[in-house]
Amino acid sequence: MAEIYYDDDADLSIIQGRHVAVIGYGSQGHAHALNLRDSGVDVRIGLAEGSTSRAKAEAEGLRVLSVADAVEEADVIMILTPDQVQRTVYAESIQPHLTAGDALFFAHGFNIRFGYISAPEGVDVAMVAPKGPGHTVRREFEAGRGVPALIAVEKDSSGNAEALALSYAKAIGGTRAGVIKTTFTEETETDLFGEQAVLCGGVSQLVQYGFETLTEAGYKPEIAYFEVLHELKLIVDLMIEGGIAKQRWSVSDTAEYGDYVSGPRVIDPHVKENMKAVLSDIQDGTFAKRFIDDQDKGGPEFKELRAKGEAHPIEATGRELRQLFSWIKSNDDYTEGQVSR
Ligand code: NDP
Ligand code: MG
Ligand code: MG
């Protein structure tokens, strides 16, 4: 059983004695920066020239500097720009300003695991990865709770990198919920696999196929939407509370029996073979290379796939229905139906 660390296992004063630069002020960046500040940590934000996030950070009273100046001032640098731009930001504006004794932090191991970033001698390399979207990390912290997090140490130059990572995790609320120790390799590969095979890729495709099957058979799209998308949250909530077993206990016997006999027909053993192939592409760097090569060209494949997903009929049905649901409020940073971002 993995060891889980809580507030009592972490010393907040360690991070309170450091100077932190949060690079990027997006989903994770705003949450880390605000939680750190509210935990009494000295924090500044590093952003590129002309950044659209600058105004948001300044509206919270945070100091915003260029990435280079923020790194220069700080001795803990948390990189929270999108994964695909990290290596350029790092090479141009971070690495030249690192000195021995600094610590380089990440919230995802991608760039270290696949060799896009490597830190100079004398610098600690560690990860504090909240297992939730940034907006939840902030909201839970403000409510006095936290989102579970993973920590990992890639390079322990100081001999204190783990204690520093735990302290950082405490400052953003992670140890309120529980922190598990992992490695950059394990976090990166399992995170990519989970989002590709199950959470994002698997679920999205499953929902789309379910919607297509029902509407192609002549059922109303609104009804199909409720049956294959809207109710998903209710099912997932039960799984989070008590595992698959609680979900099966709560649904009708009819639904539970249908689960047993039809689940393995839909998700048959080929799917597991496909999952193994996806995992293999993650492990040998094929996925990382495909993603980064496309991003380096401006993301033509990414943009095409995004547009195709947004054009799926389930999105139009959902948009109309959700306008009728006064109880569903969309996230501030997300505008429904946007095609260009
Ligand atoms: P976002 O896409 O939300 O971050 C965007 C931020 O990065 C913006 O402030 C943006 O500025 C800034 N930025 C973009 N390009 C540059 C640049 N060249 N130089 C400086 N700043 C730049 O990222 P996420 O928060 O989603 O991801 C950050 C990290 O956290 C990633 O490693 C990700 O894997 C990890 N992570 C993310 C999670 C999430 O909830 N999204 C969950 C757990 C980990 P501007 O507004 O000007 O574009
Ligand atoms: Mg991920
Ligand atoms: Mg039903």
Side-chain angles (χ1 to χ4, degrees):
M1 177 98 190
E3 199 173 341
I4 303 186
Y5 301 98
Y6 294 100
D7 276 349
D8 287 348
D9 304 311
D11 178 359
L12 189 60
S13 73
I14 299 173
I15 194 70
Q16 286 172 330
R18 303 287 291 252
H19 307 286
V20 179
V22 170
I23 310 303
Y25 194 76
S27 177
Q28 288 292 318
H30 90 284
H32 288 232
L34 295 172
N35 293 3
L36 286 164
R37 182 195 63 190
D38 292 351
S39 294
V41 178
D42 172 46
V43 61
R44 78 260 313 118
I45 311 300
L47 286 171
E49 197 67 31
S51 167
T52 50
S53 312
R54 174 178 274 269
K56 273 189 194 168
E58 285 178 344
E60 291 286 352
L62 291 161
R63 270 178 71 226
V64 180
L65 308 172
S66 71
V67 176
D69 288 347
V71 175
E72 195 66 50
E73 274 192 20
D75 52 25
V76 174
I77 297 93
M78 172 54 104
I79 306 187
L80 294 175
T81 65
D83 295 307
Q84 66 272 29
V85 303
Q86 288 184 8
R87 86 181 189 287
T88 310
V89 178
Y90 178 77
E92 288 172 0
S93 312
I94 297 177
Q95 186 169 22
H97 306 279
L98 289 176
T99 48
D102 286 353
L104 196 58
F105 272 38
F106 294 85
H108 178 39
F110 189 94
N111 281 275
I112 293 288
R113 165 62 182 82
F114 296 113
Y116 292 112
I117 291 178
S118 54
E121 282 305 305
V123 170
D124 286 343
V125 179
M127 171 171 22
V128 179
K131 288 289 107 178
H135 298 89
T136 314
V137 172
R138 178 57 181 161
R139 195 177 63 223
E140 288 295 288
F141 182 89
E142 286 184 293
R145 298 184 299 260
V147 166
L150 302 180
I151 59 163
V153 173
E154 178 75 7
K155 211 164 144 207
D156 190 7
S157 303
S158 66
N160 294 312
E162 185 176 323
L164 179 63
L166 257 181
S167 182
Y168 185 107
K170 184 171 187 171
I172 63 168
T175 46
R176 291 176 180 174
V179 167
I180 300 179
K181 205 177 144 185
T182 180
T183 63
F184 271 63
T185 296
E186 184 177 62
E187 185 277 339
T188 304
E189 294 175 6
T190 57
D191 183 80
L192 292 174
F193 177 81
E195 65 204 17
Q196 291 177 27
V198 180
L199 306 176
C200 309
V203 167
S204 302
Q205 191 67 59
L206 192 67
V207 167
Q208 287 180 346
Y209 275 164
F211 183 84
E212 288 169 19
T213 302
L214 286 175
T215 53
E216 284 165 17
Y219 299 101
K220 286 194 227 19
E222 293 79 7
I223 302 292
Y225 177 89
F226 274 112
E227 293 296 348
V228 305
L229 189 149
H230 183 77
E231 287 192 44
L232 193 58
K233 177 177 180 350
L234 316 175
I235 292 297
V236 170
D237 283 348
L238 289 166
M239 288 166 84
I240 301 302
E241 285 168 25
I244 294 171
K246 181 168 183 184
Q247 179 265 120
R248 286 174 168 163
W249 162 81
S250 177
V251 299
S252 67
D253 285 355
T254 324
E256 184 182 353
Y257 181 70
D259 168 341
Y260 298 135
V261 300
S262 299
R265 283 181 71 190
V266 173
I267 309 293
D268 69 10
H270 289 109
V271 173
K272 193 164 164 192
E273 290 306 312
N274 296 341
M275 284 183 172
K276 286 180 179 168
V278 165
L279 181 59
S280 162
D281 279 3
I282 290 166
Q283 289 168 330
D284 70 13
T286 302
F287 170 79
K289 184 172 186 316
R290 180 173 170 179
F291 175 55
I292 293 297
D293 286 354
D294 182 61
Q295 288 291 325
D296 284 351
K297 286 182 276 181
E301 184 190 28
F302 184 52
K303 285 176 184 156
E304 188 191 322
L305 294 171
R306 180 184 267 169
K308 193 172 152 225
E310 282 169 348
H312 192 281
I314 197 170
E315 301 306 331
T317 301
R319 257 193 308 277
E320 279 170 30
L321 276 175
R322 286 189 298 272
Q323 282 178 355
L324 309 172
F325 299 169
S326 54
W327 63 90
I328 294 183
K329 296 253 186 310
S330 85
N331 185 311
D332 290 342
D333 291 345
Y334 176 71
T335 310
E336 283 221 59
Q338 61 185 359
V339 178
S340 57
R341 314 175 193 221

